[in-house]
Amino acid sequence: MVNSTNGNTELITLIETIADNKFILGDRLVEVGVSGPDLEGTLAAIAMAQSELGHARLLYNWGTNLKSGKGSKKEVKEQTGKAFDSIVQIGEWIQLIAGLYSMNTALNTLITALTSYQKGSEIELQFNKLAREQLEHILYSKNWALKLLNDGGSIPARFERAFKLCEQEVITWLKQVENNSVLIENEILPVNSNLVNSYKEALIPRLRDEEIINAH
């Protein structure tokens, strides 16, 4: 699967970046989700928190196995330092939905590219374990994004700003991944994965616009 030490290192970095963001999202879904605008949204957020934390544990254990070659599992108490600042700084509902939608849409784009290219591999097996729940998280956050974009007052503009803040980090990361020569040379990702374009195409049309107002 991976033909070099550098390839293994880059794969572990990729796995830990995904795991860290899921770990923080899970934490924020609990902390912020309990103050959701309605009971249904709150209960769903708490349920998703457990799912995101479960995904993080799965990925951390996989990364540990790739490092040591052993099947040991350890309790995860903190991220490895690769979570995005915009995710770490989530402190209220609008930021939570913006981060959840942008981050999970990006992760799904990457996971789809990896599993499509890695048929029958350990990479496909590991990511397929969380693929279905990943789609449920996107649907939840997409529906809430639409509600916020169609709400009254300052809420739509606040959501767009929060979304773009997260998206800046997401797109920078996806560009780095799709241009990572080590991942490509080790045949972890195809040469033309077009992650950024695929990510943008997956978004609500209103959020694809590069000219979304960033200030006010």
Side-chain angles (χ1 to χ4, degrees), residues 165-198:
L165 184 64
C166 181
E167 185 179 65
Q168 288 173 2
E169 290 189 281
V170 162
I171 288 179
T172 297
W173 176 60
L174 288 178
K175 284 180 179 177
Q176 292 171 347
V177 174
E178 70 180 22
N179 294 317
N180 188 312
S181 59
V182 177
L183 293 176
I184 293 169
E185 289 167 6
N186 281 270
E187 299 184 340
I188 296 171
L189 267 179
V191 176
N192 297 309
S193 56
N194 296 317
L195 297 177
V196 173
N197 288 339
S198 297

Side-chain angles (χ1 to χ4, degrees), residues 20-89:
D20 278 357
N21 281 292
K22 282 186 165 289
F23 181 79
I24 298 299
L25 278 174
D27 179 70
R28 298 299 180 268
L29 278 161
V30 172
E31 289 189 359
V32 177
V34 295
S35 59
D38 60 43
L39 180 59
E40 182 180 1
T42 296
L43 293 175
I46 293 172
M48 273 196 302
Q50 299 307 312
S51 179
E52 290 285 14
L53 292 170
H55 293 175
R57 283 192 294 272
L58 175 73
L59 294 168
Y60 284 132
N61 287 333
W62 180 23
T64 298
N65 290 344
L66 288 174
K67 288 177 184 177
S68 64
K70 299 177 181 178
S72 59
K73 295 182 180 181
K74 61 179 181 180
E75 184 180 355
V76 179
K77 296 183 178 179
E78 59 183 4
Q79 60 146 324
T80 69
K82 301 179 183 68
F84 301 157
D85 288 343
S86 57
I87 299 298
V88 174
Q89 293 167 8

